[in-house]
Amino acid sequence: MAKLKVGVLISGRGSNMAALIEAATAADYPAEVAVVVSNVADTPGLKTAQDAGVATAAISHKGFPDRESFDRAVSAELEKRGVGLVALAGFMRIQSPWFPAHWKDRIINIHPSLLPAFPGLRVQQQAIDAGSRISGCTVHFVTADLDAGPIIAQAAVPVLPGDDADTLAARILRQEHRLYPMVVRWFAEGRISLSGAKVAVAGVPKGATLLFSPDP
Ligand code: GAR
């Protein structure tokens, strides 16, 4: 069966993008990264993608008069490559409402907190400052509301005494690299369905391991 073509949007390091590319090297993985688009030309993630033999495009938002015209150019690049799912992976450019409307139900994002707690930026520091005992990451559908679309899956990690934003971010990132390829697989397998603001994933075992922090 033809693999789902995924377009990954990045602005920086691209470690989640690299996790998706790596997952897609498995013969039985049902998706492939068809193109990586960055709004920052000299970002390390683009080089990582190129080294892995993945097509890339750098489209600077600075060359466009407004958000929507930039978004339309990005979209054209994705469509040129036959993309069926857009995965935002550290894409730090706020999009016009046109983009998530155009890619409705075919655009997902990964965010380093347990949404709806801590949308926005510097979220690991926000979790520490709030005294959270547990944090994690969320993969969600993208809508016009920032970090607020329907939640598909989350992974939780403890916030440990002595954590700073960097140690917590590193712990969360390890789980991001597991979670994102898993969700893309589910999407490609047609197992994710959306009903209003709720997402159902078919074929996953019911029940999950509890995470206590501190662990009693
Ligand atoms: C990741 O932690 C991702 O969850 C976060 O940026 C980092 C990108 O790292 N995204 C957001 O904060 C979006 N709101 P990466 O470039 O190595 O994948």
Side-chain angles (χ1 to χ4, degrees):
M1 216 172 86
K3 296 194 180 211
L4 172 74
K5 292 185 190 302
V6 181
V8 183
L9 268 50
I10 64 169
S11 298
R13 177 179 56 187
S15 71
N16 277 292
M17 170 213 75
L20 291 172
I21 292 173
E22 166 66 25
T25 61
D28 68 345
Y29 196 75
E32 63 184 324
V33 178
V35 63
V36 172
V37 180
S38 172
N39 64 319
V40 182
D42 55 358
T43 199
L46 279 183
K47 168 118 186 24
T48 307
Q50 284 156 5
D51 289 349
V54 173
T56 62
I59 305 177
S60 170
H61 52 268
K62 290 180 186 149
F64 295 88
D66 52 37
R67 284 187 198 278
E68 187 173 317
S69 50
F70 167 73
D71 287 350
R72 284 178 183 269
V74 171
S75 211
E77 185 64 37
L78 298 169
E79 271 153 5
K80 197 173 86 189
R81 302 280 180 183
V83 163
L85 174 69
V86 180
L88 307 185
F91 186 66
M92 293 313 199
R93 181 94 191 133
I94 291 178
Q95 295 173 314
S96 66
W98 179 85
F99 198 87
H102 184 73
W103 290 95
K104 190 171 169 355
D105 302 348
R106 296 181 301 151
I107 177 167
I108 59 178
N109 179 45
I110 188 154
H111 181 81
S113 78
L114 293 177
L115 291 171
F118 314 126
L121 295 174
R122 300 183 64 250
V123 299
Q124 296 90 353
Q125 189 62 51
Q126 287 188 54
I128 290 170
D129 291 347
S132 298
R133 296 290 199 174
I134 294 174
S135 189
C137 50
T138 303
V139 178
H140 64 95
F141 282 109
V142 174
T143 62
D145 301 317
L146 191 68
D147 298 332
I151 292 170
I152 303 167
Q154 297 182 305
V157 303
V159 181
L160 298 175
D163 263 342
D164 60 23
D166 291 338
T167 57
L168 179 58
R171 191 174 307 119
I172 293 171
L173 194 65
R174 282 195 292 278
Q175 303 313 317
E176 293 185 46
H177 296 163
R178 298 175 62 198
L179 191 69
Y180 217 7
M182 199 174 82
V183 170
V184 169
R185 170 187 279 281
W186 292 341
F187 187 95
E189 291 172 345
R191 288 160 61 185
I192 299 178
S193 56
L194 186 57
S195 149
K198 290 273 175 60
V199 173
V201 182
V204 288
K206 288 197 172 53
T209 316
L210 292 180
L211 173 63
F212 284 86
S213 179
D215 192 338

